[in-house]
C-alpha cells in the first residue's frame, strides 16, 4: 500500500477493529479511511464493488471473514471477476484480491469452518492461492496484488497463530510454483495449507520410526498448478500421498491424484493415497471435530502403507 496508492483494503470490521482475527490491525492508522474502511455485512457488495473499482484501474484487496460466505458472492467472483477479461476480448482487466479465511479446528461449526478452495478451482478465470508459511503469505500476497488477474487468496484460520521468518520488503514469491518443503527419496506427500504441517510431522515420524525418507511438496498455488514439480518428485519416489483439509468428496485432492496417475503411471509402485476431511458437516464439539479432520497420524499411516 505504501508502494502503490491504487491499492485499497476493505471488508467487514477490518478498519477500527482490525478484522475478526486482528490481521489488519494498524492499517487504518497508517493509510486512513479513504484506503482502509469497513463495509456492510454483504459479501456480494464487497466483491461486486471490488470488481467495479478494479475495472476502473484501482487494485482492491477485500476480506471475506469466512470463506463459507464466498458463496454469497459467487456470481461476483465466478461470473464477474473471473470472466470480464475474456468477455471483453481482453480489453478489461480485473486486478483484485479476495482474501478468505478457511478451515475447521476452532469449534465454529458448520457455517464457519468449510475449506472451499476446491470449489473455486473449478471456475476458469480466477487464480486460487493457499500458502502455509509466513514467508509465503507475504511473498504470494504481494505477487497477488501486483498481478492483473483476480486472485482468491486462501488463509487457514489454524495457521494464523504460527510464526516464521519472512523475506525483505522487495521479495516476491511467484504464483504457480510449488515449494519442496522437505526433500526425500521413498515417498512423496503433496499438500497445501495446514495439511503441509501434518505432512512434515508425518515425514519426521517416518524417518524416526521407519527409516523412510519422505519428500513433502507444498503446492502453495492450486490455480495455476505446478504439476511438473509434483511429477518430478513422484517419478523419483514411486509412491505418493495427496492431502488437504477439504472434504475428500469433490476435493482438488482428486484432481492432483488423477493427474499423477495419468502422467506418471509407469513410475508408480502402488496406488496414490488420498487424505481429506470426512464427508459430513463440520461439527462443533472438539472431540467430533478431531474425528472429522485429517491429521498427521492419518498422513503417516497412508505413507507408511505404501513403503
Amino acid at each position: 500500500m505504501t508502494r502503490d496508492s491504487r491499492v485499497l483494503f476493505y471488508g467487514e470490521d477490518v478498519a477500527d477493529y482490525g478484522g475478526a482475527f486482528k490481521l489488519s490491525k494498524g492499517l487504518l492508522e497508517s493509510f486512513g479511511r479513504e484506503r482502509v474502511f469497513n463495509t456492510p455485512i454483504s459479501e456480494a457488495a464487497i466483491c461486486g464493488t471490488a470488481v467495479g473499482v478494479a475495472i476502473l484501474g484501482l487494485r482492491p484487496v477485500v476480506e471475506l471473514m469466512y470463506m463459507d460466505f464466498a458463496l454469497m458472492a459467487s456470481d461476483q467472483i465466478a461470473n464477474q471477476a473471473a470472466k470480464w477479461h475474456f468477455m471483453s476480448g481482453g480489453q478489461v482487466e480485473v486486478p483484485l484480491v479476495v482474501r478468505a479465511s478457511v478451515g475447521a479446528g476452532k469449534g465454529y461449526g458448520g457455517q464457519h469452518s468449510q475449506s472451499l478452495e476446491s470449489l473455486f478451482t473449478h471456475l476458469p478465470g480466477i487464480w486460487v492461492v493457499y500458502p502455509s508459511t509466513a514467508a509465503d503469505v507475504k511473498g504470494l500476497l504481494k505477487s497477488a496484488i501486483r498481478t492483473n488477474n483476480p486472485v482468491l487468496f486462501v488463509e487457514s484460520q489454524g495457521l494464523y497463530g504460527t510464526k516464521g521468518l519472512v523475506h525483505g520488503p522487495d521479495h516476491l514469491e511467484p504464483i504457480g510454483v510449488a515449494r519442496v518443503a522437505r526433500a526425500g527419496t521413498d515417498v512423496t506427500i503433496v499438500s497445501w495449507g495446514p495439511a503441509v504441517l501434518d505432512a512434515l510431522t508425518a515425514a519426521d515420524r517416518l524417518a524416526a520410526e521407519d527409516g523412510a525418507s519422505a519428500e513433502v511438496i507444498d503446492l502453495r498455488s492450486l490455480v495455476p498448478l505446478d504439476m511438473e514439480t509434483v511429477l518430478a518428485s513422484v517419478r523419483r519416489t514411486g509412491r505418493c500421498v495427496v492431502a488437504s483439509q477439504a472434504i475428500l468428496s469433490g476435493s482438488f485432492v482428486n484432481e492432483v491424484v488423477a493427474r499423477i496417475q495419468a502422467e506418471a503411471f509407469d513410475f508408480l509402485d502402488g496406488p496414490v493415497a488420498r487424505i481429506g476431511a470426512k464427508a459430513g458437516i463440520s461439527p462443533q464439539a472438539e472431540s467430533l471435530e478431531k474425528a472429522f479432520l485429517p491429521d498427521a497420524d492419518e498422513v503417516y499411516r497412508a505413507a507408511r502403507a505404501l513403503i
Side-chain angles (χ1 to χ4, degrees):
M1 294 182 75
T2 299
R3 173 183 173 274
D4 191 341
S5 62
R6 295 173 298 173
V7 179
L8 308 175
F9 177 63
Y10 59 94
E12 296 166 12
D13 291 333
V14 300
D16 310 75
Y17 190 67
F21 302 98
K22 302 299 182 184
L23 301 179
S24 55
K25 191 173 178 61
L27 281 183
L28 173 62
E29 291 76 9
S30 297
F31 298 102
R33 291 194 186 275
E34 289 189 354
R35 298 183 64 193
V36 180
F37 49 89
N38 298 324
T39 67
I41 303 175
S42 172
E43 287 73 21
I46 292 169
C47 293
T49 55
V51 172
V53 297
I55 288 174
L56 290 175
L58 299 180
R59 292 184 174 271
V61 180
V62 297
E63 178 178 306
L64 302 183
M65 196 177 293
Y66 297 94
M67 195 178 191
D68 310 61
F69 304 127
L71 299 177
M72 303 295 292
S74 56
D75 178 66
Q76 288 75 13
I77 296 172
N79 287 331
Q80 309 306 328
K83 303 299 190 293
W84 263 109
H85 181 67
F86 174 81
M87 295 181 70
S88 68
Q91 297 181 74
V92 167
E93 292 180 326
V94 190
L96 70 85
V97 178
V98 178
R99 292 179 46 249
S101 78
V102 305
K106 293 190 171 184
Y108 290 161
Q111 295 183 358
H112 294 75
S113 305
Q114 298 175 87
S115 293
L116 299 178
E117 67 271 13
S118 302
L119 176 64
F120 289 91
T121 65
H122 195 64
L123 304 171
I126 188 164
W127 287 1
V128 180
V129 177
Y130 195 167
S132 69
T133 69
D136 284 347
V137 168
K138 180 178 180 180
L140 289 168
L141 182 59
K142 287 160 65 71
S143 292
I145 293 171
R146 295 185 192 189
T147 183
N148 289 333
N149 298 296
V151 180
L152 178 62
F153 199 87
V154 187
E155 301 173 3
S156 167
Q157 297 165 22
L159 295 178
Y160 279 155
T162 62
K163 294 183 179 181
L165 295 175
V166 299
H167 299 287
D170 297 323
H171 179 79
L172 299 174
E173 286 293 341
I175 296 174
V177 178
R179 176 177 69 97
V180 180
R182 176 182 177 132
T185 58
D186 296 322
V187 61
T188 300
I189 306 175
V190 181
S191 53
W192 55 91
V196 175
L197 273 64
D198 289 340
L200 290 169
T201 300
D204 288 340
R205 186 175 171 188
L206 283 166
E209 298 183 14
D210 304 284
S213 173
E215 181 151 291
V216 177
I217 306 295
D218 179 359
L219 287 185
R220 305 196 293 184
S221 167
L222 306 186
V223 181
L225 174 64
D226 179 9
M227 202 65 203
E228 288 309 310
T229 296
V230 173
L231 293 173
S233 177
V234 173
R235 287 166 182 156
R236 287 195 307 271
T237 66
R239 306 170 183 90
C240 187
V241 177
V242 184
S244 84
Q245 283 203 347
I247 291 171
L248 191 55
S249 176
S251 172
F252 194 72
V253 163
N254 302 318
E255 171 68 16
V256 178
V257 169
R259 291 282 303 273
I260 291 169
Q261 297 193 153
E263 299 173 45
F265 182 80
D266 290 341
F267 297 85
L268 290 171
D269 295 325
V272 181
R274 305 178 303 146
I275 302 292
K278 306 299 185 294
I281 296 170
S282 179
Q284 196 160 9
E286 182 178 0
S287 59
L288 295 177
E289 198 170 35
K290 285 182 178 179
F292 168 76
L293 286 174
D295 58 16
D297 184 59
E298 189 172 345
V299 177
Y300 165 78
R301 293 196 307 271
R304 189 178 185 276
L306 294 174
I307 296 173

